[in-house]
Amino acid sequence: MDEDMSRTESPGPLRRPGAAPSALRWHRGHDHGVAGGRRDEVDVHRHLQDANDRHADRIRRLLAEHAVFAANLMSSPGSGKTTLLEATLARLEGEMRVAVIEGDIETTADADRLAPFGIPVVQINTGPFGGDCHLAAPLIASAIESLDLHQVDLLVVENVGNLVCPAEFDIGEDRKVVLLSVTEGEDKPLKYPLMFHEASLALVTKVDLLPHLDVDLALIRANIHKVNPEAEVLTVSAKTGEGLDTWVEWLRHAVQTKRTGADAH
Amino acid sequence: MHEMSLACTVVEEVERVLDECGPKARAISVRLEVGRLRAVVPEAMEFCFEAAALGTRAEGARLIIDQIPIRVRCETCDDEWTLESVEFFCPACDGGVSVLSGKELLLRTIEIEDDEE
Protein backbone atom coordinates (compact mmCIF):
# COMPACT_ATOMS: atom_id res chain seq x y z
CA MET A 1 0.00 0.00 0.00
CA ASP A 2 1.12 3.50 -0.76
CA GLU A 3 2.75 5.17 2.19
CA ASP A 4 0.48 8.18 1.86
CA MET A 5 -2.57 6.03 2.27
CA SER A 6 -1.65 4.83 5.72
CA ARG A 7 -1.49 8.35 7.14
CA THR A 8 -4.47 8.86 9.38
CA GLU A 9 -4.43 11.46 12.10
CA SER A 10 -7.58 10.66 13.99
CA PRO A 11 -9.08 7.29 13.14
CA GLY A 12 -12.12 7.18 15.41
CA PRO A 13 -15.59 6.27 14.27
CA LEU A 14 -16.67 7.29 10.78
CA ARG A 15 -20.14 8.61 10.15
CA ARG A 16 -22.13 9.35 7.07
CA PRO A 17 -23.79 12.72 6.93
CA GLY A 18 -27.46 12.88 6.15
CA ALA A 19 -28.60 9.77 7.97
CA ALA A 20 -28.77 11.37 11.40
CA PRO A 21 -27.21 14.82 11.30
CA SER A 22 -27.83 15.50 14.95
CA ALA A 23 -25.76 12.46 15.92
CA LEU A 24 -22.75 14.20 14.43
CA ARG A 25 -22.70 16.60 17.35
CA TRP A 26 -22.74 13.97 20.04
CA HIS A 27 -21.16 10.60 19.84
CA ARG A 28 -18.77 8.55 21.90
CA GLY A 29 -15.76 8.76 19.63
CA HIS A 30 -15.13 12.47 19.80
CA ASP A 31 -11.86 14.12 20.77
CA HIS A 32 -11.43 17.52 22.28
CA GLY A 33 -9.62 19.89 19.95
CA VAL A 34 -7.32 22.74 20.90
CA ALA A 35 -10.24 25.13 20.99
CA GLY A 36 -12.14 22.84 23.28
CA GLY A 37 -14.77 21.84 20.72
CA ARG A 38 -15.66 18.29 19.80
CA ARG A 39 -13.81 16.75 16.90
CA ASP A 40 -15.37 14.21 14.66
CA GLU A 41 -14.33 12.60 11.41
CA VAL A 42 -17.21 12.41 8.97
CA ASP A 43 -17.09 9.76 6.26
CA VAL A 44 -18.30 11.55 3.15
CA HIS A 45 -17.11 9.15 0.44
CA ARG A 46 -18.32 11.35 -2.37
CA HIS A 47 -17.06 11.09 -5.95
CA LEU A 48 -16.16 14.59 -7.07
CA GLN A 49 -17.23 13.75 -10.63
CA ASP A 50 -20.75 12.69 -9.60
CA ALA A 51 -22.50 15.92 -10.60
CA ASN A 52 -20.67 16.02 -13.93
CA ASP A 53 -21.38 12.37 -14.63
CA ARG A 54 -25.12 12.77 -13.98
CA HIS A 55 -25.24 15.45 -16.66
CA ALA A 56 -23.13 13.25 -18.95
CA ASP A 57 -25.59 10.36 -18.54
CA ARG A 58 -28.49 12.65 -19.40
CA ILE A 59 -26.67 13.82 -22.53
CA ARG A 60 -25.92 10.22 -23.49
CA ARG A 61 -29.62 9.33 -23.20
CA LEU A 62 -30.64 12.35 -25.30
CA LEU A 63 -28.12 11.48 -28.01
CA ALA A 64 -29.28 7.86 -28.01
CA GLU A 65 -32.94 8.88 -28.32
CA HIS A 66 -32.12 10.97 -31.37
CA ALA A 67 -29.53 8.55 -32.80
CA VAL A 68 -26.90 11.29 -32.82
CA PHE A 69 -23.24 10.21 -32.82
CA ALA A 70 -21.07 12.57 -30.75
CA ALA A 71 -17.31 12.89 -31.08
CA ASN A 72 -15.28 14.84 -28.51
CA LEU A 73 -12.24 16.35 -30.27
CA MET A 74 -9.39 17.13 -27.91
CA SER A 75 -5.79 18.27 -28.29
CA SER A 76 -3.34 20.90 -27.18
CA PRO A 77 -3.93 24.40 -28.56
CA GLY A 78 -2.87 24.77 -32.16
CA SER A 79 -2.73 21.16 -33.24
CA GLY A 80 -5.36 21.72 -35.89
CA LYS A 81 -8.79 20.85 -34.51
CA THR A 82 -10.64 23.67 -36.25
CA THR A 83 -8.74 23.26 -39.53
CA LEU A 84 -9.50 19.54 -39.52
CA LEU A 85 -13.11 20.35 -38.77
CA GLU A 86 -13.30 22.74 -41.74
CA ALA A 87 -11.85 20.10 -44.07
CA THR A 88 -14.20 17.47 -42.61
CA LEU A 89 -17.31 19.64 -42.98
CA ALA A 90 -16.39 20.38 -46.62
CA ARG A 91 -16.36 16.63 -47.31
CA LEU A 92 -19.56 15.83 -45.45
CA GLU A 93 -21.60 18.73 -46.85
CA GLY A 94 -24.93 17.51 -48.21
CA GLU A 95 -24.22 13.99 -46.97
CA MET A 96 -25.03 14.17 -43.27
CA ARG A 97 -26.34 16.77 -40.88
CA VAL A 98 -23.55 18.01 -38.62
CA ALA A 99 -23.75 20.29 -35.59
CA VAL A 100 -20.74 21.64 -33.71
CA ILE A 101 -20.16 22.79 -30.14
CA GLU A 102 -17.07 24.98 -29.93
CA GLY A 103 -15.32 25.34 -26.60
CA ASP A 104 -12.83 28.10 -25.93
CA ILE A 105 -11.84 30.13 -22.93
CA GLU A 106 -12.52 33.30 -24.93
CA THR A 107 -13.49 34.56 -28.43
CA THR A 108 -15.94 33.28 -31.03
CA ALA A 109 -13.15 32.95 -33.61
CA ASP A 110 -13.63 29.22 -34.14
CA ALA A 111 -17.41 29.46 -34.50
CA ASP A 112 -16.90 32.32 -36.97
CA ARG A 113 -14.60 30.13 -39.07
CA LEU A 114 -17.34 27.51 -39.37
CA ALA A 115 -20.08 30.04 -40.25
CA PRO A 116 -19.67 29.57 -44.05
CA PHE A 117 -20.90 25.97 -43.72
CA GLY A 118 -24.32 27.13 -42.59
CA ILE A 119 -24.60 24.45 -39.92
CA PRO A 120 -25.69 24.88 -36.29
CA VAL A 121 -22.67 25.95 -34.23
CA VAL A 122 -22.85 26.71 -30.51
CA GLN A 123 -19.91 28.59 -29.06
CA ILE A 124 -19.17 28.07 -25.39
CA ASN A 125 -16.78 30.49 -23.71
CA THR A 126 -15.62 29.27 -20.33
CA GLY A 127 -14.47 32.82 -19.51
CA PRO A 128 -11.06 34.50 -19.13
CA PHE A 129 -9.16 34.88 -15.83
CA GLY A 130 -9.75 31.56 -14.18
CA GLY A 131 -12.16 30.26 -16.81
CA ASP A 132 -12.34 26.52 -17.05
CA CYS A 133 -9.72 24.85 -19.16
CA HIS A 134 -12.12 22.15 -20.32
CA LEU A 135 -15.76 21.59 -21.21
CA ALA A 136 -17.71 19.94 -18.41
CA ALA A 137 -20.98 18.09 -18.96
CA PRO A 138 -23.32 20.81 -17.54
CA LEU A 139 -22.06 23.26 -20.20
CA ILE A 140 -22.58 20.70 -22.97
CA ALA A 141 -26.05 19.92 -21.62
CA SER A 142 -27.15 23.55 -21.93
CA ALA A 143 -25.47 23.93 -25.34
CA ILE A 144 -27.38 20.88 -26.59
CA GLU A 145 -30.66 22.47 -25.52
CA SER A 146 -30.20 25.09 -28.22
CA LEU A 147 -29.81 22.41 -30.92
CA ASP A 148 -32.65 20.60 -32.65
CA LEU A 149 -31.30 17.05 -32.29
CA HIS A 150 -33.96 15.75 -34.69
CA GLN A 151 -32.00 17.56 -37.40
CA VAL A 152 -28.56 16.24 -36.43
CA ASP A 153 -26.69 13.03 -37.36
CA LEU A 154 -23.24 13.95 -36.13
CA LEU A 155 -22.36 16.22 -33.21
CA VAL A 156 -18.75 17.31 -32.99
CA VAL A 157 -17.56 18.91 -29.77
CA GLU A 158 -14.33 20.84 -30.20
CA ASN A 159 -12.98 20.95 -26.67
CA VAL A 160 -10.81 23.67 -25.15
CA GLY A 161 -7.22 23.26 -26.34
CA ASN A 162 -5.51 21.42 -23.49
CA LEU A 163 -4.01 17.94 -23.21
CA VAL A 164 -4.79 17.50 -19.52
CA CYS A 165 -8.17 18.51 -18.15
CA PRO A 166 -10.61 17.72 -20.99
CA ALA A 167 -9.69 14.04 -20.61
CA GLU A 168 -11.05 14.13 -17.05
CA PHE A 169 -14.60 15.03 -17.95
CA ASP A 170 -17.17 12.67 -19.40
CA ILE A 171 -19.47 14.82 -21.55
CA GLY A 172 -21.70 11.98 -22.70
CA GLU A 173 -19.86 11.59 -26.01
CA ASP A 174 -19.69 8.32 -27.95
CA ARG A 175 -16.00 8.63 -28.73
CA LYS A 176 -13.08 10.70 -27.55
CA VAL A 177 -10.76 11.64 -30.39
CA VAL A 178 -7.35 13.10 -29.64
CA LEU A 179 -5.29 15.08 -32.15
CA LEU A 180 -1.52 15.27 -31.96
CA SER A 181 0.31 17.36 -34.53
CA VAL A 182 3.70 16.15 -35.70
CA THR A 183 5.37 19.32 -34.44
CA GLU A 184 4.45 18.58 -30.81
CA GLY A 185 7.03 15.84 -30.30
CA GLU A 186 6.89 12.07 -29.99
CA ASP A 187 6.83 12.07 -26.19
CA LYS A 188 3.42 13.72 -25.68
CA PRO A 189 1.40 10.49 -25.26
CA LEU A 190 3.75 9.52 -22.42
CA LYS A 191 3.62 12.96 -20.82
CA TYR A 192 -0.17 13.25 -21.00
CA PRO A 193 -1.16 9.62 -20.58
CA LEU A 194 -4.77 10.02 -19.44
CA MET A 195 -5.73 11.86 -22.63
CA PHE A 196 -4.29 9.17 -24.89
CA HIS A 197 -5.50 6.39 -22.63
CA GLU A 198 -9.11 7.60 -22.82
CA ALA A 199 -9.22 8.27 -26.58
CA SER A 200 -10.55 5.64 -29.00
CA LEU A 201 -8.94 7.33 -31.96
CA ALA A 202 -5.75 9.34 -32.26
CA LEU A 203 -5.29 11.56 -35.30
CA VAL A 204 -1.69 12.52 -36.02
CA THR A 205 -2.15 15.82 -37.81
CA LYS A 206 -0.07 18.09 -40.09
CA VAL A 207 1.75 15.12 -41.63
CA ASP A 208 2.48 17.33 -44.66
CA LEU A 209 5.19 18.88 -42.47
CA LEU A 210 7.05 15.58 -41.95
CA PRO A 211 9.67 16.19 -44.69
CA HIS A 212 10.75 19.34 -42.84
CA LEU A 213 11.02 17.83 -39.38
CA ASP A 214 13.12 15.35 -37.45
CA VAL A 215 10.08 13.52 -36.22
CA ASP A 216 9.77 9.77 -35.92
CA LEU A 217 6.20 8.87 -36.87
CA ALA A 218 6.73 5.23 -35.85
CA LEU A 219 7.76 6.40 -32.39
CA ILE A 220 4.61 8.55 -32.08
CA ARG A 221 2.53 5.46 -32.90
CA ALA A 222 4.52 3.29 -30.49
CA ASN A 223 4.09 5.81 -27.67
CA ILE A 224 0.35 6.10 -28.25
CA HIS A 225 0.09 2.31 -28.14
CA LYS A 226 2.10 2.18 -24.93
CA VAL A 227 -0.58 4.12 -23.07
CA ASN A 228 -3.45 2.70 -25.12
CA PRO A 229 -2.80 -0.51 -27.07
CA GLU A 230 -6.35 -0.43 -28.43
CA ALA A 231 -6.28 3.09 -29.87
CA GLU A 232 -6.75 3.46 -33.61
CA VAL A 233 -4.15 5.79 -35.07
CA LEU A 234 -4.69 7.68 -38.33
CA THR A 235 -2.36 10.15 -39.99
CA VAL A 236 -3.92 13.19 -41.63
CA SER A 237 -3.15 16.50 -43.26
CA ALA A 238 -6.01 18.95 -43.55
CA LYS A 239 -3.78 20.97 -45.89
CA THR A 240 -3.06 18.31 -48.52
CA GLY A 241 -6.06 16.10 -47.79
CA GLU A 242 -3.87 13.11 -46.98
CA GLY A 243 -5.69 10.61 -44.79
CA LEU A 244 -8.92 12.60 -44.72
CA ASP A 245 -10.82 9.90 -46.63
CA THR A 246 -10.04 7.38 -43.90
CA TRP A 247 -11.04 9.80 -41.13
CA VAL A 248 -14.30 10.74 -42.87
CA GLU A 249 -15.01 7.05 -43.46
CA TRP A 250 -14.45 6.46 -39.71
CA LEU A 251 -17.10 9.13 -39.00
CA ARG A 252 -19.54 7.71 -41.58
CA HIS A 253 -19.21 4.26 -40.08
CA ALA A 254 -19.70 5.60 -36.53
CA VAL A 255 -22.80 7.59 -37.50
CA GLN A 256 -24.23 4.60 -39.39
CA THR A 257 -23.58 2.25 -36.46
CA LYS A 258 -25.29 4.61 -34.04
CA ARG A 259 -28.32 4.89 -36.34
CA THR A 260 -28.54 1.12 -36.78
CA GLY A 261 -28.27 0.63 -33.04
CA ALA A 262 -31.09 3.12 -32.46
CA ASP A 263 -33.30 1.46 -35.09
CA ALA A 264 -32.79 -1.91 -33.42
CA HIS A 265 -34.28 -0.60 -30.16
CA MET B 1 -5.36 24.03 -14.15
CA HIS B 2 -8.22 21.65 -13.40
CA GLU B 3 -7.17 21.81 -9.75
CA MET B 4 -9.15 25.04 -9.35
CA SER B 5 -12.48 23.63 -10.49
CA LEU B 6 -11.83 20.51 -8.42
CA ALA B 7 -11.05 22.65 -5.38
CA CYS B 8 -14.32 24.56 -5.84
CA THR B 9 -16.25 21.28 -5.94
CA VAL B 10 -14.51 20.12 -2.75
CA VAL B 11 -15.39 23.38 -0.97
CA GLU B 12 -19.04 23.08 -2.04
CA GLU B 13 -19.19 19.54 -0.68
CA VAL B 14 -17.52 20.49 2.58
CA GLU B 15 -20.00 23.34 3.10
CA ARG B 16 -22.89 20.99 2.37
CA VAL B 17 -21.67 18.54 5.03
CA LEU B 18 -21.03 21.35 7.55
CA ASP B 19 -24.57 22.60 7.01
CA GLU B 20 -25.84 19.20 8.06
CA CYS B 21 -23.57 19.15 11.10
CA GLY B 22 -24.77 22.33 12.75
CA PRO B 23 -24.27 26.08 12.70
CA LYS B 24 -20.99 26.14 14.61
CA ALA B 25 -19.30 23.20 12.91
CA ARG B 26 -16.10 23.98 11.08
CA ALA B 27 -13.72 21.87 9.04
CA ILE B 28 -10.29 21.08 10.50
CA SER B 29 -9.09 18.87 7.69
CA VAL B 30 -10.38 17.43 4.45
CA ARG B 31 -9.08 14.17 3.02
CA LEU B 32 -9.14 13.36 -0.68
CA GLU B 33 -8.27 10.19 -2.56
CA VAL B 34 -6.79 11.03 -5.92
CA GLY B 35 -5.64 8.44 -8.45
CA ARG B 36 -2.31 9.07 -10.12
CA LEU B 37 -3.94 8.94 -13.56
CA ARG B 38 -5.86 12.10 -12.67
CA ALA B 39 -2.77 14.27 -13.09
CA VAL B 40 -3.60 16.32 -10.00
CA VAL B 41 -0.56 18.17 -8.64
CA PRO B 42 -0.90 18.03 -4.83
CA GLU B 43 0.79 21.41 -4.23
CA ALA B 44 -1.42 23.11 -6.84
CA MET B 45 -4.47 21.43 -5.36
CA GLU B 46 -3.60 22.61 -1.83
CA PHE B 47 -3.06 26.14 -3.05
CA CYS B 48 -6.34 26.18 -5.00
CA PHE B 49 -8.25 24.71 -2.06
CA GLU B 50 -6.90 27.38 0.27
CA ALA B 51 -7.98 30.07 -2.21
CA ALA B 52 -11.40 28.53 -2.93
CA ALA B 53 -12.12 28.11 0.79
CA LEU B 54 -11.54 31.79 1.65
CA GLY B 55 -14.69 33.30 3.09
CA THR B 56 -16.42 29.93 3.32
CA ARG B 57 -16.88 27.61 6.28
CA ALA B 58 -14.03 25.50 4.88
CA GLU B 59 -11.57 28.38 5.31
CA GLY B 60 -8.41 27.33 7.08
CA ALA B 61 -9.05 23.59 6.78
CA ARG B 62 -6.05 21.44 5.94
CA LEU B 63 -6.23 19.47 2.71
CA ILE B 64 -4.79 15.95 2.87
CA ILE B 65 -4.33 14.18 -0.46
CA ASP B 66 -3.86 10.42 -0.55
CA GLN B 67 -2.47 9.51 -3.93
CA ILE B 68 -3.68 6.17 -5.23
CA PRO B 69 -1.25 4.21 -7.38
CA ILE B 70 -2.19 2.95 -10.84
CA ARG B 71 -2.89 -0.79 -10.49
CA VAL B 72 -3.48 -2.84 -13.63
CA ARG B 73 -4.29 -6.46 -14.44
CA CYS B 74 -3.26 -8.32 -17.58
CA GLU B 75 -6.36 -9.56 -19.36
CA THR B 76 -4.48 -12.60 -20.65
CA CYS B 77 -2.25 -13.88 -17.83
CA ASP B 78 -4.20 -12.29 -14.93
CA ASP B 79 -1.09 -10.80 -13.32
CA GLU B 80 -1.56 -7.61 -11.31
CA TRP B 81 1.00 -4.89 -10.76
CA THR B 82 1.50 -1.21 -10.01
CA LEU B 83 2.44 0.92 -12.99
CA GLU B 84 5.60 2.90 -12.45
CA SER B 85 5.65 4.23 -16.01
CA VAL B 86 2.67 4.72 -18.28
CA GLU B 87 2.90 1.48 -20.23
CA PHE B 88 -0.55 -0.05 -20.41
CA PHE B 89 0.43 -3.50 -21.64
CA CYS B 90 1.76 -6.66 -20.09
CA PRO B 91 5.56 -6.88 -20.17
CA ALA B 92 5.32 -10.70 -20.11
CA CYS B 93 2.80 -11.39 -22.88
CA ASP B 94 2.28 -7.97 -24.54
CA GLY B 95 -1.46 -8.31 -23.82
CA GLY B 96 -3.84 -5.48 -22.96
CA VAL B 97 -4.45 -4.53 -19.33
CA SER B 98 -7.46 -3.30 -17.40
CA VAL B 99 -7.07 -0.46 -14.94
CA LEU B 100 -7.98 -1.48 -11.36
CA SER B 101 -7.17 1.80 -9.62
CA GLY B 102 -5.65 5.19 -10.34
CA LYS B 103 -8.71 7.10 -11.57
CA GLU B 104 -10.10 7.92 -8.12
CA LEU B 105 -11.33 11.42 -7.38
CA LEU B 106 -12.99 11.07 -4.04
CA LEU B 107 -13.78 13.22 -1.03
CA ARG B 108 -13.15 10.65 1.70
CA THR B 109 -13.53 12.28 5.10
CA ILE B 110 -13.86 15.64 6.77
CA GLU B 111 -12.58 16.25 10.26
CA ILE B 112 -15.04 18.56 11.92
CA GLU B 113 -14.90 20.60 15.11
CA ASP B 114 -18.08 21.68 16.75
CA ASP B 115 -18.06 24.19 19.64
CA GLU B 116 -21.68 23.64 20.46
CA GLU B 117 -22.34 22.02 23.84
Side-chain angles (χ1 to χ4, degrees):
Chain A
M1 182 163 295
D2 195 291
E3 197 192 1
D4 286 337
M5 284 192 60
S6 54
R7 265 191 307 162
T8 305
E9 280 81 43
S10 66
L14 298 181
R15 302 199 164 239
R16 287 190 176 279
S22 57
L24 288 170
R25 288 193 225 145
W26 254 126
H27 72 88
R28 285 172 294 167
H30 73 254
D31 300 321
H32 285 278
V34 196
R38 290 185 196 84
R39 285 203 179 181
D40 191 6
E41 194 165 44
V42 180
D43 185 13
V44 183
H45 205 91
R46 180 141 178 120
H47 294 276
L48 297 175
Q49 303 286 75
D50 274 0
N52 182 80
D53 293 351
R54 272 196 303 276
H55 282 280
D57 287 341
R58 196 163 65 83
I59 293 166
R60 202 170 279 114
R61 278 198 303 276
L62 261 178
L63 295 172
E65 272 167 33
H66 295 88
V68 176
F69 174 80
N72 182 2
L73 291 193
M74 300 181 284
S75 77
S76 47
S79 47
K81 291 185 295 300
T82 315
T83 306
L84 179 76
L85 202 44
E86 287 172 309
T88 308
L89 291 173
R91 283 171 185 247
L92 290 175
E93 224 167 2
E95 183 188 328
M96 64 172 79
R97 300 165 302 174
V98 187
V100 176
I101 296 176
E102 281 288 346
D104 281 296
I105 291 179
E106 197 49 276
T107 85
T108 59
D110 285 356
D112 297 344
R113 277 172 65 181
L114 302 183
F117 294 97
I119 58 162
V121 178
V122 186
Q123 174 80 54
I124 298 175
N125 284 134
T126 59
F129 313 118
D132 272 343
C133 46
H134 57 268
L135 293 175
L139 285 175
I140 300 294
S142 50
I144 280 182
E145 275 172 26
S146 61
L147 294 170
D148 179 6
L149 289 184
H150 293 287
Q151 304 299 323
V152 178
D153 303 307
L154 167 65
L155 173 64
V156 180
V157 178
E158 185 183 336
N159 220 308
V160 179
N162 177 348
L163 270 184
V164 186
C165 319
E168 306 265 348
F169 293 85
D170 179 6
I171 55 167
E173 76 280 87
D174 292 281
R175 291 282 184 272
K176 289 181 161 75
V177 178
V178 61
L179 280 68
L180 177 66
S181 63
V182 291
T183 54
E184 289 172 66
E186 298 98 339
D187 54 352
K188 292 306 167 291
L190 306 180
K191 287 186 170 173
Y192 302 92
L194 185 65
M195 177 61 77
F196 290 87
H197 184 72
E198 295 286 314
S200 322
L201 173 66
L203 296 172
V204 181
T205 62
K206 305 188 189 180
V207 290
D208 56 286
L209 293 176
L210 281 174
H212 313 287
L213 305 167
D214 291 322
V215 171
D216 184 348
L217 192 56
L219 184 56
I220 294 182
R221 281 179 189 276
N223 285 342
I224 292 171
H225 283 133
K226 268 187 185 174
V227 295
N228 186 353
E230 271 148 38
E232 267 185 81
V233 182
L234 299 177
T235 51
V236 296
S237 163
K239 189 172 175 138
T240 64
E242 183 183 342
L244 287 186
D245 287 341
T246 319
W247 153 241
V248 169
E249 197 47 46
W250 185 92
L251 283 172
R252 280 193 194 105
H253 181 255
V255 168
Q256 192 55 47
T257 307
K258 183 89 180 221
R259 212 178 283 153
T260 315
D263 289 345
H265 280 92
Chain B
M1 268 163 84
H2 58 326
E3 281 86 356
M4 195 64 214
S5 57
L6 274 178
C8 292
T9 311
V10 173
V11 170
E12 279 170 29
E13 287 297 327
V14 170
E15 288 201 291
R16 192 182 59 80
V17 172
L18 289 175
D19 285 344
E20 289 178 21
C21 291
K24 289 192 176 169
R26 62 184 195 97
I28 302 296
S29 66
V30 175
R31 180 178 290 271
L32 304 184
E33 264 181 26
V34 180
R36 289 202 182 266
L37 259 174
R38 289 291 182 179
V40 168
V41 181
E43 293 77 12
M45 188 66 196
E46 286 161 17
F47 172 76
C48 291
F49 176 75
E50 196 183 323
L54 283 179
T56 75
R57 296 174 72 191
E59 184 170 340
R62 190 162 68 94
L63 190 69
I64 303 161
I65 298 170
D66 293 333
Q67 292 203 311
I68 311 298
I70 306 169
R71 293 282 298 171
V72 295
R73 180 194 292 137
C74 174
E75 285 155 5
T76 315
C77 50
D78 245 18
D79 272 357
E80 280 183 27
W81 66 96
T82 301
L83 280 196
E84 300 300 341
S85 65
V86 284
E87 302 189 338
F88 288 83
F89 59 89
C90 177
C93 74
D94 239 22
V97 297
S98 45
V99 177
L100 305 175
S101 74
K103 290 188 180 179
E104 295 76 4
L105 207 47
L106 191 72
L107 171 56
R108 267 316 295 259
T109 56
I110 306 173
E111 192 188 355
I112 288 169
E113 189 173 72
D114 195 341
D115 289 332
E116 205 172 337
E117 287 301 325

